[in-house]
Amino acid sequence: WHVGTLPETYAHLRSSLFAVPTETTMVYGVIRNVQAALKYRGGWKGLLEHMYTNGDYPFKFGTYMGADAAGNRYYENRVDYPFGQHRWVEPGDIHNFDSASIPPEWHGWMTSMNDAPPSGEEAYIEERKKNIIPLCRSDANIDHNVGHQEKIFNFHHLHNLSTVRSRGWNIGNPVVGLPPGAKDSYYTQPGSPYNDASIRPRVNIGDLGGGRV
């Protein structure tokens, strides 16, 4: 084993640490990723399905954090991906996915507004309640600041109902599954011509039966 001069040793270490991967190494890495993805996705069908939905994550691996009522599955990986890319959703309906189907509680978790996912929210609240010091006696049936929450049910799990509207007269909206003749679900203000309660019946003025004289 030959020990060179200090410049020679430094050059050798630098070339070893910052060496550019060869084509063989890159191809081997892709093969290993495909093998891991096949195992993770349960075979070729699952892998091709996820490549079809979004090419961003066929080879993206993470910890399953939970699912919502629409079947959307949520994952997290804070080790291999930078902040902002460490949480993602895989759609339950791969052919008709709409970002409006993500409920607010999961949206808050995905955008890092919440530390605990909704699936672990109750356990998180129970743990944090240990640090609450009661200042006075209360007869309220709520012992934390989150309070009572109503369960919300929306058409086809779409939380933004402005998308649930007809695309034309008597054709409905096949994208969101709105049948022909069904009413639009978005909110209309009182006085709007699209608000049923504000539509006045038409009153004809004058005699329209005589024709031109």
Side-chain angles (χ1 to χ4, degrees), residues 71-140:
N72 301 317
R73 301 173 300 278
Y74 300 87
Y75 295 85
E76 182 180 40
N77 186 339
R78 293 184 288 180
V79 177
D80 301 322
Y81 305 107
F83 183 83
Q85 301 178 14
H86 63 298
R87 294 174 178 175
W88 67 94
V89 58
E90 298 184 1
D93 187 353
I94 64 174
H95 301 293
N96 299 298
F97 177 69
D98 194 306
S99 58
S101 67
I102 299 178
E105 58 270 19
W106 278 107
H107 178 267
W109 175 80
M110 287 191 61
T111 54
S112 300
M113 291 188 288
N114 302 332
D115 295 328
S119 55
E121 189 176 68
E122 294 183 3
Y124 179 78
I125 292 176
E126 290 295 328
E127 179 64 27
R128 301 303 297 177
K129 281 196 306 185
K130 298 177 182 179
N131 301 323
I132 299 177
I133 302 176
L135 300 179
C136 60
R137 179 180 176 276
S138 174
D139 294 326

Side-chain angles (χ1 to χ4, degrees), residues 25-48 51 58-61:
T25 304
M26 295 174 65
V27 171
Y28 178 74
V30 172
I31 293 176
R32 294 289 303 204
N33 283 338
V34 172
Q35 291 175 340
L38 287 173
K39 182 179 179 179
Y40 187 74
R41 302 295 180 188
W44 283 104
K45 181 179 182 297
L47 178 60
L48 294 176
M51 292 179 68
F59 301 143
K60 200 169 184 177
F61 310 104

Side-chain angles (χ1 to χ4, degrees), residues 118-194:
S119 55
E121 189 176 68
E122 294 183 3
Y124 179 78
I125 292 176
E126 290 295 328
E127 179 64 27
R128 301 303 297 177
K129 281 196 306 185
K130 298 177 182 179
N131 301 323
I132 299 177
I133 302 176
L135 300 179
C136 60
R137 179 180 176 276
S138 174
D139 294 326
N141 58 353
I142 301 297
D143 56 357
H144 53 77
N145 64 329
V146 176
H148 176 72
Q149 300 183 54
E150 291 286 352
K151 299 297 183 180
I152 301 177
F153 300 93
N154 295 306
F155 180 83
H156 281 218
H157 305 287
L158 295 174
H159 296 268
N160 180 10
L161 297 184
S162 62
T163 59
V164 186
R165 60 187 303 174
S166 176
R167 304 186 64 152
W169 184 81
N170 204 30
I171 63 173
N173 190 339
V175 176
V176 298
L178 189 68
K183 292 181 57 177
D184 299 334
S185 296
Y186 61 91
Y187 173 75
T188 55
Q189 296 181 350
S192 169
Y194 299 101

